[in-house]
Structure formats: C-alpha cells, structure tokens
Amino acid sequence: MLGKLLKYELKASGRMLLPIYGAVLVMGIISSLFLRTAPDMNWDNTIMTVLTMVSIILFFGLIFAALCLSLVVSILRFKKNLLGEEGYLMNTLPVSTWQNIVAKAIVAVLYQIISLIVAVFAGFSFTMVGANVSFVEIFGSVIDAFREILSQMGGVFWLYAVEILVIMLISTFGSNMMIYASMSVGHSMNSHKVVSSVAVFLGFYIVSQIINSFLLAGGAYFYALAGSYSLSELYRPQPAILAILVLEIAYLTAYFFITKYFLKRRLNLQ
C-alpha cells in the first residue's frame, strides 16, 4: 500500500512542480541566449539591455520559486491530504498512519532534491551558453579540482563525502518531519490552527537550538580537556560528525513519533 501512496503523491505533487521545472530550463536557455547574442545584435542597445536583464531576473526568480515551491507543496499536500478536507477519506483507507507520513516525507524530499538538481543544471546551462563555455571545459575544471582534493585528502575524502551526504539527507527528512509534527500538533487545537502550528514550529526550533548549543559547548569542552591533536586524527571516523548524525536521527525519530501520535490520537478535522 505504501507503493500506491507514493505513486499517488508523486503524481499530485508533480502536477504542481514539473511545469515550473520546465519553465526554469526554458527560461535558462532564453536568458543565456539573450546574454550571449545581445552584443552582436543590431537592435537598440537599450532595448536589448532591458530584455536581457528581464530574462535573467525571470530566470533566477524561477529558480528561487522552484526551490521554495517544493517545500510549499510539501506543506500544502500534508495539510490538505491529512489535516484538511481529504483527511476524512484518507482515514477510511486501509492505510497505516506511519505509511501516510512516510509517503509524504519521501516524496517531499525527492522533489526537493530534484529542485536542487534542476537549479544546478539550469545554472550550468546558463553559464555555458551565456559565457560561451563548453561542457568539456567545465567538466574538465571539475575533474581537476576533484583530483586536487583527492591528492590532498586521499581516500578519506570518500568518508567525508558519504558522511556529509547521509547527514544532509537525514537532516532534510528531519526538517520536513519537524514541519509535519508542528502542523499535527497545531491542527489538534479547536481554533487558530495555523497560528498554533507556527507557534509549535518555533518552539521545536528553539528547543533544538538549545540542545545543539549545549552539545556544541560540551564537545568543545571535551576537546579542550583532551588537549591538542594532530590533523591526521581528523582523517579517522570523526566523533563529532558521528554525533551530528546520531542527533539528526534522534530529531527525525522524535518528530516522526510526535506526528504519528497526533494524527492517530488527536486528529481534529473540524
């Protein structure tokens, strides 16, 4: 059943997000062509300058919109599908509460990653066409930089890369889950549900920052007691990075169970 939920959620979110992805790519090509051909055109320079600037502003505006809209769609889908008018239907389906939550979170993170990929790809395309730089040149520069990093760090680079990617992925899931938990708690109230959700979100954020500050201070104190250490020690599995990973997993787990509890026990669709 989770697979069907994922398929349904992918289609529902895609109807809102895929058009803007296409608009980003098309506007990237248009704005880069304006930027590249404007100096060679015989049109009035003022007109070409205005058209070029407008196309570039639209391009970067669409990139910003795509990145923001992926989060907005995630929030709207959760609210409408589980806390709004569709909530009555969703709660009559033979689907577990955790499956609804997981499906929403997976699709949200997936489209947020796609939004980032589209933005990066559009940026590269804009640079290549607008600055008349070939893909081979850019790719060669990236490979050279990558080789330089490997020569300096050796195999530990892959350790860093995997750890950072895993932390970023879990942190993204955790951020979405914190929003879901805030909305679930806020919508359990009889009135002022949106305001309550925002207040709960701010509360979660403040508490998490306090916890992070205490742990950061504790880690700094621990290293101060341990004394100096060589840079080579950083090439081992880092306790600090592993601690961050454990903390992000703890946040994700806590927000998940808060969301599950309020959706299952305290759901208020009135």
Side-chain angles (χ1 to χ4, degrees):
M1 195 65 185
L2 180 60
K4 293 182 179 179
L5 286 174
L6 288 171
K7 184 178 180 181
Y8 171 75
E9 199 63 31
L10 282 169
K11 290 182 177 179
S13 298
R15 283 194 292 267
M16 292 179 276
L17 291 171
L18 294 180
I20 197 169
Y21 293 157
V24 168
L25 297 176
V26 171
M27 186 54 65
I29 295 174
I30 293 174
S31 59
S32 59
L33 288 175
F34 267 119
L35 185 64
R36 181 176 177 180
T37 60
D40 302 324
M41 297 292 287
N42 295 322
W43 299 2
D44 184 82
N45 288 336
T46 302
I47 296 177
M48 283 306 301
T49 300
V50 171
L51 289 175
T52 302
M53 292 303 298
V54 168
S55 65
I56 292 175
I57 292 172
L58 285 175
F59 170 59
F60 286 102
L62 284 171
I63 288 180
F64 180 76
L67 294 173
C68 293
L69 191 60
S70 59
L71 178 60
V72 173
V73 168
S74 169
I75 295 173
L76 293 177
R77 287 295 307 156
F78 187 86
K79 181 179 183 300
K80 179 181 179 181
N81 199 232
L82 297 180
L83 302 174
E85 58 269 21
E86 295 182 8
Y88 293 101
L89 174 62
M90 294 302 297
N91 283 283
T92 60
L93 297 177
V95 179
S96 302
T97 303
W98 72 266
Q99 290 178 318
N100 276 319
I101 300 171
V102 170
K104 291 286 187 296
I106 290 176
V107 173
V109 172
L110 177 61
Y111 274 114
Q112 286 160 16
I113 293 173
I114 293 174
S115 296
L116 182 60
I117 293 173
V118 169
V120 171
F121 179 78
F124 272 117
S125 301
F126 177 82
T127 302
M128 285 188 295
V129 178
N132 196 18
V133 180
S134 68
F135 174 79
V136 175
E137 291 177 283
I138 295 180
F139 185 74
S141 299
V142 172
I143 293 298
D144 291 340
F146 183 72
R147 287 174 177 170
E148 180 65 23
I149 294 173
L150 282 179
S151 66
Q152 295 293 327
M153 299 181 62
V156 74
F157 168 80
W158 298 110
L159 175 62
Y160 276 112
V162 171
E163 288 176 340
I164 291 173
L165 287 175
V166 170
I167 289 175
M168 290 175 63
L169 183 61
I170 293 177
S171 178
T172 305
F173 271 104
S175 298
N176 283 276
M177 202 62 68
M178 182 171 72
I179 295 174
Y180 294 164
S182 303
M183 295 173 65
S184 300
V185 176
H187 281 72
S188 67
M189 308 297 176
N190 292 325
S191 61
H192 306 294
K193 297 177 185 291
V194 175
V195 175
S196 299
S197 299
V198 174
V200 173
F201 177 83
L202 292 176
F204 283 151
Y205 178 78
I206 292 171
V207 170
S208 65
Q209 292 305 304
I210 293 173
I211 294 173
N212 293 344
S213 299
F214 273 113
L215 292 177
L216 180 62
Y221 180 73
F222 170 79
Y223 276 115
L225 290 179
S228 60
Y229 51 90
S230 64
L231 291 177
S232 62
E233 291 177 342
L234 295 178
Y235 292 168
R236 301 170 186 173
Q238 306 86 350
I241 293 180
L242 294 178
I244 293 173
L245 178 60
V246 171
L247 183 62
E248 292 294 340
I249 293 174
Y251 283 142
L252 172 60
T253 304
Y255 293 137
F256 170 79
F257 280 107
I258 290 173
T259 305
K260 181 182 177 184
Y261 172 79
F262 276 87
L263 286 181
K264 192 172 184 179
R265 305 293 184 185
R266 302 287 300 274
L267 185 62
N268 183 6
L269 298 177
Q270 300 298 325

